[in-house]
Amino acid sequence: MSHDHNHNHNQSSQTGENRIRMAFFLNVLFALLEIAGSFFTNSVAILSNALHDLGDSLSLGLAWYFQRLSARQRDKLFSFGYMRFSVLGALINSMVLLIGSVFIISKAIPRVFNPVPIHTQGMFYFALIGITINGIAAWRLKKGDSVNEKVISLHLLEDVLGWAAVLIVSIVMMFYDVPLLDPLLSLIITIYILWNVFKNLKSTLRIFLQGTPEETAVADIEKKLLAINDVTGVHDLHLWSMDGLYHVLSVHITVARNMTLQETQKLKLDIRNCLEILGIQHTTVEIEQEDEICELTNC
């Protein structure tokens, strides 16, 4: 059973790695194209997007590495395996996105007071290409389950929205000379992205600090365990997540009577089956008698 879980997790990790690799190469190639386009159109806005996309490429490269590393099996150094490294990748990417958003705000605010003339036709064509390339990458990563893929998808969503703003501004400015729209839309999009960054950072830090999974309530788990035959008490229950998908639990179970080895093994199997239904893949169970003194009862 645990073998199937490991196989499914490794398969999911491999799929996530392929998505991240595809997004990485798309982002790098388009960032280089943007740099050339910024000189062709004499557009500072496109050059800023190019620098931002290069930053995203760095984040994607880190995410690709950590996603690949997370698929490695456990060894003497990491007894739970390397899957937790994908959370580290998500944390680094969140910080890069946060810093990048602050950088964009610092560039957009001065342009509100001193708008810069822009080559609107060049903006229009680059916006169409940017929406297409980043949209494909964001859509692919949105299907991923890992917190790492979700954070990277947010990176690419920022790029899609940014290019959508450029597209709108370029169309409007083809008919009206209103360069102020460019920095205003950039600020609105960046504020929206920052809101999502903080939400994702909160989830990532919860996993990183070994908090209980958001979708699982410890009280519900205790109630389910107490409903199993022969279980009279539950204590020293600890629940955390390795990467947002693979959950780990350890618990002490109290029973009222002496049990044979076969009965104990069956009870542990019933407990693991119960917890597996609740989405907990790795369980450590210790069985104790009611009159047995446990130093960890109130741990």
Side-chain angles (χ1 to χ4, degrees):
M1 186 176 298
S2 61
H3 173 75
D4 292 336
H5 281 302
N6 289 333
H7 173 74
N8 292 335
H9 188 275
N10 289 339
Q11 189 176 39
S12 175
S13 181
Q14 179 64 42
T15 303
E17 180 190 338
N18 292 336
R19 294 192 187 105
I20 294 172
R21 180 176 57 202
M22 180 273 298
F24 170 72
F25 284 116
L26 278 177
N27 229 56
V28 169
L29 291 174
F30 185 59
L32 295 175
L33 181 63
E34 283 178 287
I35 292 174
S38 67
F39 291 104
F40 175 75
T41 61
N42 197 29
S43 171
V44 179
I46 292 179
L47 180 59
S48 296
N49 268 342
L51 294 175
H52 184 247
D53 281 347
L54 282 175
D56 281 352
S57 298
L58 173 63
S59 299
L60 286 166
L62 285 172
W64 179 15
Y65 171 74
F66 283 128
Q67 190 76 19
R68 188 171 188 177
L69 187 63
S70 69
R72 292 175 59 179
Q73 298 296 318
R74 67 180 185 177
D75 55 24
K76 294 180 179 179
L77 188 60
F78 295 101
S79 61
F80 270 106
Y82 288 75
M83 65 182 73
R84 200 167 181 79
F85 275 84
S86 70
V87 183
L88 179 59
L91 183 61
I92 293 174
N93 282 320
S94 293
M95 297 307 298
V96 170
L97 191 57
L98 181 63
I99 294 171
S101 297
V102 172
F103 174 78
I104 291 173
I105 291 175
S106 69
K107 293 295 182 183
I109 290 178
R111 290 191 180 186
V112 172
F113 301 100
N114 297 292
V116 179
I118 302 171
H119 191 295
T120 55
Q121 191 173 13
M123 284 181 61
F124 176 79
Y125 290 120
F126 268 96
L128 290 178
I129 299 172
I131 290 172
T132 302
I133 292 178
N134 288 289
I136 291 173
W139 176 72
R140 289 290 304 273
L141 286 173
K142 188 177 180 181
K143 297 188 294 184
D145 296 321
S146 73
V147 65
N148 201 11
E149 290 173 89
K150 291 176 182 178
V151 172
I152 300 166
S153 178
L154 186 60
H155 272 274
L156 296 169
L157 175 61
E158 179 184 7
D159 293 337
V160 172
L161 293 176
W163 282 113
V166 172
L167 180 66
I168 294 171
V169 167
S170 65
I171 293 174
V172 172
M173 290 182 60
M174 285 180 183
F175 301 97
Y176 304 98
D177 185 18
V178 193
L180 180 64
L181 288 178
D182 185 27
L184 287 179
L185 282 173
S186 296
L187 286 173
I188 293 172
I189 291 169
T190 304
I191 290 171
Y192 167 76
I193 293 297
L194 279 173
W195 170 255
N196 284 280
V197 167
F198 284 120
K199 288 197 300 182
N200 278 277
L201 192 57
K202 180 181 177 182
S203 299
T204 302
L205 286 174
R206 182 169 183 163
I207 298 170
F208 202 77
L209 297 174
Q210 293 188 321
T212 56
E214 295 182 34
E215 73 282 2
T216 308
V218 173
D220 292 339
I221 294 175
E222 291 180 347
K223 185 177 179 181
K224 292 281 187 181
L225 293 176
L226 288 171
I228 299 175
N229 291 336
D230 293 318
V231 175
T232 60
V234 176
H235 63 275
D236 194 38
L237 191 154
H238 299 280
L239 173 64
W240 68 98
S241 182
M242 294 299 299
D243 60 356
L245 297 173
Y246 191 90
H247 302 333
V248 181
L249 180 144
S250 66
V251 63
H252 287 216
I253 299 293
T254 305
V255 294
R257 62 184 181 85
N258 291 326
M259 303 180 72
T260 64
L261 178 61
Q262 289 75 15
E263 288 175 331
T264 301
Q265 290 175 340
K266 182 181 182 305
L267 177 58
K268 287 184 176 181
L269 180 61
D270 290 341
I271 291 171
R272 289 194 172 95
N273 288 337
C274 172
L275 294 173
E276 185 179 352
I277 294 174
L278 297 176
I280 300 168
Q281 294 86 356
H282 188 108
T283 304
T284 301
V285 182
E286 183 168 339
I287 307 295
E288 300 171 349
Q289 302 295 320
E290 280 188 340
D291 58 352
E292 185 175 343
I293 298 175
C294 178
E295 296 179 353
L296 300 176
T297 300
N298 297 314
C299 177

